[in-house]
Amino acid sequence: MTRIRRIEPGDREAIRELIAGTRAFKPFEVDVAMELVDVALTQPGQEDYHPYVLVEDDGTVVAYACFGKNAMTTGTFDLYWIATRADRMGKGYGRAILSFVEEEVRRREGYLLVIETSSQESYGSTRQFYDKVGCTLAAQLPDYYAKGDDKLIYLKRVR
């Protein structure tokens, strides 16, 4: 049995380990992810970042997602982070937390989820995941992150 809830201060290290443990993200990217976690934990009234974890019955954090509304739009949300513990991948946790994010976006009157990722091979399983859950590759920005590392922008209509 699992449940999804907002992050709590005690989740911080588990989230760091989860993201770093995927081995998809470089250390500075993990640091950026943790900046959003810290904003959410230290600024309770902020509305920019909505971080959630999926936890198992024993309290183990197995998936993490953080999203927020793009303030320049009427209903577009960005999915800043989504990750599943490496030892729990392929068990449906990523799909479960993404479905939760989609419901939250709908509940907040959103209609579009924008997801960015890299073209690097280390993100291959991530791209396959987005394809499987119905995301559409909308744009590819050559050499965005570095030479030979394109930015891929996926869209998911939620309403």
Side-chain angles (χ1 to χ4, degrees):
M1 193 70 166
T2 60
R3 68 185 176 104
I4 296 173
R5 61 167 169 75
R6 284 191 71 86
I7 65 168
E8 300 170 352
D11 298 327
R12 190 180 188 286
E13 279 314 304
I15 293 168
R16 175 182 282 282
E17 290 174 16
L18 182 156
I19 293 171
T22 66
R23 298 189 179 145
F25 303 107
K26 298 173 183 82
F28 78 90
E29 294 171 321
V30 175
D31 291 342
V32 170
M34 297 315 295
E35 287 176 17
L36 303 189
V37 168
D38 290 339
V39 166
L41 291 174
T42 60
Q43 300 174 28
Q46 64 83 30
E47 285 292 319
D48 295 330
Y49 308 113
H50 305 286
Y52 288 85
V53 288
L54 186 152
V55 296
E56 294 178 329
D57 275 346
D58 66 359
T60 303
V61 174
V62 295
Y64 167 73
C66 181
F67 66 96
K69 185 177 180 293
N70 183 316
M72 300 298 286
T73 69
T74 59
T76 299
F77 284 69
D78 293 304
L79 180 62
Y80 301 114
W81 290 94
I82 185 167
T84 300
R85 269 177 62 130
D87 63 348
R88 302 298 204 286
M89 288 182 182
K91 299 183 183 300
Y93 293 138
R95 188 178 294 259
I97 202 163
L98 179 60
S99 292
F100 175 83
V101 168
E102 292 171 21
E103 283 296 321
E104 280 296 301
V105 168
R106 278 190 287 273
R107 189 179 69 75
R108 297 166 192 263
E109 305 297 322
Y111 56 87
L112 185 65
L113 193 57
V114 176
I115 307 166
E116 300 173 4
T117 193
S118 165
S119 65
Q120 292 294 291
E121 190 53 40
S122 62
Y123 289 83
S125 62
T126 301
R127 293 190 302 273
Q128 288 175 346
F129 172 75
Y130 294 143
D131 289 338
K132 276 193 233 175
V133 297
C135 296
T136 303
L137 179 61
Q140 182 166 354
L141 308 179
D143 301 327
Y144 181 84
Y145 296 112
K147 289 190 177 188
D149 187 359
D150 302 347
K151 178 179 187 174
L152 306 178
I153 302 171
Y154 286 86
L155 302 178
K156 176 106 195 237
R157 293 213 169 266
V158 299
R159 111 175 25 237

